[in-house]
Structure formats: C-alpha cells, structure tokens
Amino acid sequence: MKTLFLSGAICSICLSFLSTNFAEEISPGEASRFLMQTTFGPTDDEIARVQKIGYANWIDDQLSKPPETILPVIADIHHDALAIFKGLGHNGDIEKDVMAHFRETFYVADNVGEEILNRADRPVLEPDDQAFVGREAKKAGLSEGAMRTWRVKSLAYDEADEPELEFIWWTQAINGNDQLRKRVAFAWSQHFVVSFYDGNIHLLGIEAQADYYDTLAVNGLGNFRDLLKYVTFHPCMGTYLTYINSQKTNQADTIHPDENYAREIMQLFTIGLWELNPDGTKRLKDGNPIPAYTNDDVRELARVFTGIGYTGGFNSRSALIDSHGACPTGSPAKAGKYPFGQGWSDKAAAGKGPNVLDYYPSYHDDGVKVLVGGRKTLPAGQGPAKDIDDALDCLFEHPNTPPFISRSLIERFTTSNPSPAYVKRIADVFINNGKGVRGDLTAVIRAILLDPEARHPSERLDTGKLREPLLRFSALIRAFKPTGQYGIFKMYNSRKLMEEEPLCSTTVFNFYHPDYGPPGPIVDAGMVAPEFQITDAITSIGLPNYFRDCIYKGTVVSRGLGSTVKLDFSSELPLAGNVDALIDRYNILLTGDTMGAETHDIIHTAVSQIPASQPADRVKLAAYLTSISPDSAIQP
C-alpha cells in the first residue's frame, strides 16, 4: 500500500492505493471498492453478492434489471394529491395548480389550511395534533388559534409537497435495485447538464425534469448516438440551452440564431475544446494544442438548430400540459425511444399538446452549412429534421468523440487521472464493441469498470479520485440499513449542505469543472481533481457536521421536514467490545478496505476512551471518525 499526502488551502487528504489480483478470490474490501464505483454505496448484501458471483456477473445481473423511473411515481402521487384536495372541496383551479406546478403548492397549501380552519363541519386536527398545538402555543406564547393555523398549513404542505422530485430521487438512489443504471444516469446528468435553478426550466414543471432524468436512466446504457438525439430533442435541453424558438438570421430585425446549444454540444457533450489523439492526449501543432472548433463552426452549427418550437406555435412559451396517464408511457420512460415530434409526453395517449416540440420550416435556416472545419457539408433545402440528424452524425463520428466521452466517463466512475493507455482501451470499445457497433454504452461502461486500472490499480500517484459529497453521503446512509417513513426518503435541498443536488447545478459546467485541479501538489504534478472545486468552507465543515448529526441522532433530518430517515446500527453493537473488529467493519463499509494504519490508530485511541458499558457511543464515534477520515473521502 502506498500513500500520497496532498495538502491544500482547505483540507488535507490522502490517496490510498489497493492492489488486487484477478486470479484471487474477491475480498470484502475489493468488493466494497467496486461497489463504490458502481452504486450509491456498498451494503453487506451487495458485498457478499459481488464476492459470490464476481464483477462481470454482477454487472450482467444489473443490466438485466428493468429501469426504475421517477416520472410514473410523480404522476401517481399527483393523482393521489388531487384526490386529497378534491376531498377538501377544492375547485378546478386548485387541481390545475397541483398538477401543472407541483413545486409551487406551498401557496396552494396555505389556501387549503385556511379553508380547513373555516369549515366547522369537519375536525381540523387529530387528538395528538390538538395536544401538540396546545403545548407549542403555550411554549411560543401564541394563541392556540394562531398555532392551530400554522399546524394545519404545515400538514397540508407536507401532503402537497411529498412527490418532490428530490424525495423520489433519494428514495430510489438509496433503495433501488438497479444501482448501476442509477449511477450511470447520475453521471450523464452531470455531463448533459440541465438545471432546475434555471427559471425557464422551473416553469416547465417537475414532470419535465423527471422525464429528462428518466431519459438518461432508460437510455444511458444504450447507444451514445441515440442518447445524444434524445437529449437534443428534449424540451428541457432545448429550453435550458435556448435553441427552442431560435430562428434564421433576419438582418432587418437584428435576429440571429441562438448559439448556446451549438457551442455546448461540441465543447461539453461530444468533442471537447481541443483536437485529441486516440488516447485522449491533445494533438499539438508547433507545440501548442489545436482547437477542435472555431467560432465560425459555432455559428454554422447554430444555423442547424433553428425553426424548432412547441406545437402551441412558434415563440410559444406554453406550460406543459397535464398528461397523467401519458407521463408514465412517455417514449423515454417506457419504450426507450424518443421519436422527434412527440416531446416527453406520449402523443398517442394524450394527443399533441403545447409541450410537444415541432418543426417550423419557415424559421429554419435552409442554406448550405459547413460543419466543424469542413468535416461535413449539409446541402441547402434539407429542412430541420435532416439537418439535425446529419449534424449529430457528424459529431458522433468525429474522431474526438470516443476519447472525449471515454475519459469523461472514466472520471465519473474510477479515476480522475486515467493513463492514456486506459483512455485508448475504452475509446477503442466506443469505436467498436467487438461486433462492429460504434457508441455501445453498455460495452463502454463494462470496459471502464473491468479494466485492469480500475480493478488492479497501480502504484502510480495519480490513481483514484476524490469522492463527491453526495456520493459520500449516500454511501453513509446505505451502510446502515436505512428506512424512510412511509417508504419515502424526505431529503431536500442537499445543495445547501453538499453543494450538490440532482439536476440543480448552477452552470452548464456541472457542480465542478472536469478539468479543475486545486493549486498545489496536484496541479504541480500535472493532474486534475475536479471534485476539489466544491471542497470548500461549506462542504469541508458542513458535511462532517451533518454526518455527525445523522450518526449520533440515528436519523437524517432535512430542512424542517422531520426525522423521516432512520439509520440502524444494530449490526455494529455486538462489536462494540472489540474496537479493532468494529473499526475493521467500518473500514470495509466506508473506505473499501483502504484505511491506513495512522487513521486506524487515531480512531482506536478515541473509541477506547469510551467505557465498554457505553456500546452505542463507541459504535457511533467509530462510524463518525471513519466517515470523515481522508481514507473515506478518497476512492482509490
């Protein structure tokens, strides 16, 4: 084992390296480390399963599981919420608000609370709630009526907001069986970024966001060319990167095609900034890197994405229609296909509505277009559908795309600094999966996870990666058999604690830039460590404090929503009398068996000072110190 200590302005961490041997049986630590790369956190059952069936068979088993999607859950709970509001005597306006803008139902809940209070013919609160109101009113010095109003509003809000996308995302991430597919979807959500923080995306509604994420989940292990098309044609992407309603140049009205998507589909989604060798290293001319595209290329490609709008009319900003019953059968979520012109709602089920994208040829620039420095020329008069397909083909077939996408995915799963040889091996699989197919993402992900550099890390100092805060937190929860009230994990606004929340990055560059490296030894060594960009005063202090609260209280509390997620330390309590055994258990679950001797000794000394008659305190302190250790922060 070899350790490199890296010091930065914010914190000090260590990189640990663990060698394995393919000829040997899989140890618990090796299985745990594999699951850190492929799931939202190792569990006892999954560690045993990997040991029993092996890495490749575990991947095959995961691929055989049907995708678990978010949108059908939201649609079902929306339906239940409607029944609740209707039962309280509310009209169609309330129904429309609940169905179309569910995130804004706190306002609806206020109205519901007031109306319940004004109805003398029905009990307002259960007896336990009445007692609570009396106690809290006295404590707060408020009238019982005022406290009663607050309590009813609080209960109504809780009922209304339960289908929050993040609640469902966390519930599925923690308990879902298709863990590999979920990790792949999370990786793609950080590559093909759209963000709920954008006001226009917010207006599309929670269903559209859920469907976008489901599109990544259902198609994330398909073919990259198909995924690129599904993303391009999704209203969330068209709205976020603003090519919806983009139109051809009109000099008289100073109108020009929108360049946002044209730029980002090249820079971030397919070919990157610089021309690449097959192993991902930059091509050089006179010692300098060669740009992969120019501003002229951006302008030419922007002309392709013109004349696309909603069926409500070009320049329409119509809100998405309600389509309960259509949402769950939308093409991405069910059929795994996304034919252009259907939008995210199933046209056959709901009819063509204002949320569906459509072509407006009169606004499309139908002239000749020369793409990416002359790699492809689009003839005049093709129309928007053919122009877009040809442009996507051009980017898909570009020699940069295999190494660019391969490196991006490697960074998400195994290491921030893959060797050129590792990148080339994966890029070769992207080019040809062994059956002549380009862009087979199942083959690419399998190759990344089973590559010798992933399963048998070398002694190089650039092996491994910093675990992003959200994945450290999800692993902590999964390690201790969590349960959620009513089966729901009410965790909300994780960005305040971890600077990460699904589909909520502040920019199109994700929560952190893929090429970021913290000043100091890492940059000096020519390496990158992207996740360090959010290793700041918030996550370095807030995350350990949050881990402490979750472990010591045995519950995960989220923004005043109550202790809805409980952790179970019953498996650890019998080990409290044997500190070494207790630490060994946490070493497997939380560090992938990479804990160094120094960390072990520090934890042992601290835990041993607690009397053996206080087993719960021993168990929790050992868990806390392991979870915040450098060994747990780094995925080797």
Side-chain angles (χ1 to χ4, degrees):
M1 183 175 289
K2 188 172 183 178
T3 304
L4 169 68
F5 287 93
L6 304 173
S7 59
I10 298 175
C11 67
S12 298
I13 66 169
C14 70
L15 283 168
S16 300
F17 304 97
L18 176 67
S19 294
T20 62
N21 191 322
F22 283 108
E24 298 175 350
E25 293 184 357
I26 299 172
S27 71
E30 290 164 345
S32 177
R33 179 175 165 273
F34 174 75
L35 292 167
M36 288 180 181
Q37 298 170 341
T38 56
T39 73
F40 281 95
T43 65
D44 288 329
D45 290 345
E46 285 303 303
I47 289 172
R49 184 164 179 76
V50 170
Q51 286 186 274
K52 181 180 179 180
I53 66 176
Y55 301 126
N57 287 334
W58 185 89
I59 292 172
D60 288 340
D61 181 63
Q62 284 286 300
L63 294 172
S64 71
K65 298 181 184 298
E68 187 179 41
T69 50
I70 297 173
L71 185 57
V73 182
I74 287 179
D76 288 343
I77 303 179
H78 278 191
H79 221 49
D80 293 342
L82 269 180
I84 292 171
F85 284 119
K86 286 179 179 178
L88 296 173
H90 290 288
N91 57 31
D93 291 338
I94 293 293
E95 178 177 341
K96 180 180 178 182
D97 285 343
V98 173
M99 294 300 290
H101 298 290
F102 214 77
R103 251 184 179 257
E104 298 175 7
T105 51
F106 184 73
Y107 172 74
V108 177
D110 280 347
N111 292 335
V112 172
E114 295 291 352
E115 292 185 26
I116 294 175
L117 285 172
N118 292 330
R119 291 183 61 172
D121 62 331
R122 63 182 296 120
V124 176
L125 298 172
E126 297 295 327
D128 287 347
D129 288 319
Q130 295 281 19
F132 171 86
V133 164
R135 289 194 308 271
E136 294 300 309
K138 186 175 181 180
K139 189 188 305 180
L142 297 173
S143 71
E144 196 160 318
M147 182 58 67
R148 201 155 152 260
T149 301
W150 172 85
R151 181 60 172 165
V152 172
K153 289 180 180 181
S154 174
L155 291 173
Y157 168 63
D158 190 55
E159 292 289 348
D161 207 43
E162 203 161 62
E164 190 71 72
L165 182 140
E166 195 173 1
F167 295 169
I168 301 169
W169 187 92
W170 275 106
T171 301
Q172 294 185 352
I174 298 303
N175 281 343
N177 290 320
D178 57 334
Q179 284 284 307
L180 178 59
R181 194 179 299 276
K182 284 179 169 34
R183 273 298 303 273
V184 170
F186 184 57
W188 285 127
S189 75
Q190 297 184 72
H191 182 88
F192 295 113
V193 173
V194 302
S195 176
F196 211 85
Y197 273 79
D198 181 276
N200 291 323
I201 295 293
H202 180 91
L203 289 175
L204 288 180
I206 190 173
E207 297 97 333
Q209 281 275 293
D211 184 77
Y212 183 77
Y213 200 91
D214 287 349
T215 299
L216 302 179
V218 170
N219 301 290
L221 286 165
N223 190 281
F224 182 77
R225 173 61 176 82
D226 294 334
L227 180 61
L228 187 62
K229 182 174 183 177
Y230 304 152
V231 166
T232 298
F233 291 162
H234 201 284
C236 282
M237 181 58 76
T239 299
Y240 185 61
L241 290 182
T242 61
Y243 85 80
I244 287 181
N245 300 329
S246 177
Q247 56 185 290
K248 63 186 177 183
T249 298
N250 183 330
Q251 295 290 0
D253 295 330
T254 64
I255 292 174
H256 300 278
D258 188 286
E259 297 179 359
N260 267 356
Y261 192 60
R263 179 178 293 104
E264 306 309 350
I265 195 175
M266 291 191 289
Q267 178 182 351
L268 300 178
F269 299 167
T270 55
I271 65 176
L273 283 172
W274 311 103
E275 289 192 11
L276 302 175
N277 294 307
D279 62 4
T281 57
K282 295 175 184 175
R283 294 185 61 208
L284 303 177
K285 182 177 181 180
D286 300 326
N288 297 312
I290 306 167
Y293 61 88
T294 66
N295 285 333
D296 288 340
D297 293 325
V298 172
R299 284 190 285 269
E300 284 289 279
L301 188 56
R303 295 171 58 209
V304 170
F305 300 107
T306 54
I308 308 298
Y310 290 121
T311 55
F314 196 74
N315 291 325
S316 168
R317 294 290 182 184
S318 302
L320 296 184
I321 58 171
D322 160 40
S323 51
H324 179 75
C327 292
T329 58
S331 50
K334 186 175 182 181
K337 57 186 179 181
Y338 208 99
F340 188 68
Q342 285 192 224
W344 62 268
S345 176
D346 189 337
K347 182 169 54 179
K352 212 170 187 183
N355 58 320
V356 179
L357 296 184
D358 208 349
Y359 299 111
Y360 291 84
S362 63
Y363 291 92
H364 177 68
D365 185 329
D366 228 1
V368 175
K369 304 171 187 72
V370 180
L371 304 183
V372 198
R375 289 188 177 274
K376 196 174 191 91
T377 298
L378 309 184
Q382 289 199 129
K386 178 64 172 168
D387 272 359
I388 292 175
D389 265 341
D390 285 354
L392 297 183
D393 282 342
C394 176
L395 296 174
F396 177 61
E397 294 160 2
H398 193 288
N400 262 30
T401 300
F404 182 80
I405 296 300
S406 297
R407 183 184 177 95
S408 176
L409 290 173
I410 290 170
E411 287 186 7
R412 293 278 178 251
F413 292 99
T414 58
T415 178
S416 295
N417 297 277
S419 71
Y422 187 5
V423 174
K424 186 175 187 305
R425 287 193 294 271
I426 307 307
D428 287 345
V429 173
F430 186 102
I431 293 168
N432 185 343
N433 67 350
K435 300 178 181 179
V437 177
R438 184 183 181 92
D440 179 352
L441 294 174
T442 292
V444 168
I445 294 295
R446 184 192 299 276
I448 288 171
L449 297 173
L450 298 180
D451 191 87
E453 283 192 41
R455 301 275 54 84
H456 188 75
S458 69
E459 293 293 316
R460 295 195 334 267
L461 297 181
D462 56 3
T463 298
K465 68 194 299 290
L466 180 67
R467 296 169 74 190
E468 54 198 285
L470 185 145
L471 294 179
R472 288 180 63 193
F473 179 60
S474 66
L476 176 69
I477 297 174
R478 277 174 57 84
F480 299 111
K481 303 179 181 66
T483 55
Q485 187 179 20
Y486 308 120
I488 297 174
F489 286 63
K490 286 188 177 179
M491 289 181 280
Y492 180 53
N493 204 5
S494 59
R495 196 174 187 283
K496 283 194 172 182
L497 293 165
M498 309 175 211
E499 297 199 11
E500 287 187 293
E501 180 180 339
L503 295 180
C504 285
S505 65
T506 54
T507 75
V508 72
F509 293 97
N510 189 29
F511 306 106
Y512 43 82
H513 196 283
D515 295 328
Y516 177 80
I522 292 177
V523 168
D524 293 346
M527 298 188 293
V528 299
E531 295 82 359
F532 265 99
Q533 196 166 12
I534 54 173
T535 304
D536 53 20
I538 295 174
T539 57
S540 295
I541 297 173
L543 198 62
N545 287 344
Y546 191 47
F547 282 11
R548 177 201 60 206
D549 290 344
C550 294
I551 290 169
Y552 274 89
K553 294 177 181 177
T555 59
V556 180
V557 182
S558 176
R559 198 182 176 187
L561 293 175
S563 302
T564 63
V565 181
K566 297 187 180 298
L567 305 181
D568 180 0
F569 294 94
S570 58
S571 297
E572 288 69 42
L573 285 172
L575 301 175
N578 185 337
V579 177
D580 283 323
L582 181 63
I583 296 173
D584 286 345
R585 172 162 174 75
Y586 291 146
N587 182 26
I588 297 297
L589 278 177
L590 300 177
T591 80
D593 197 23
T594 62
M595 184 183 292
E598 182 179 4
T599 300
H600 179 282
D601 291 346
I602 291 171
I603 296 174
H604 191 285
T605 299
V607 173
S608 297
Q609 293 176 9
I610 299 175
S613 59
Q614 301 174 23
D617 292 339
R618 281 190 164 196
V619 162
K620 290 178 179 180
L621 180 62
Y624 174 60
L625 293 178
T626 304
S627 70
I628 66 170
S629 69
D631 316 68
S632 180
I634 292 298
Q635 174 185 296

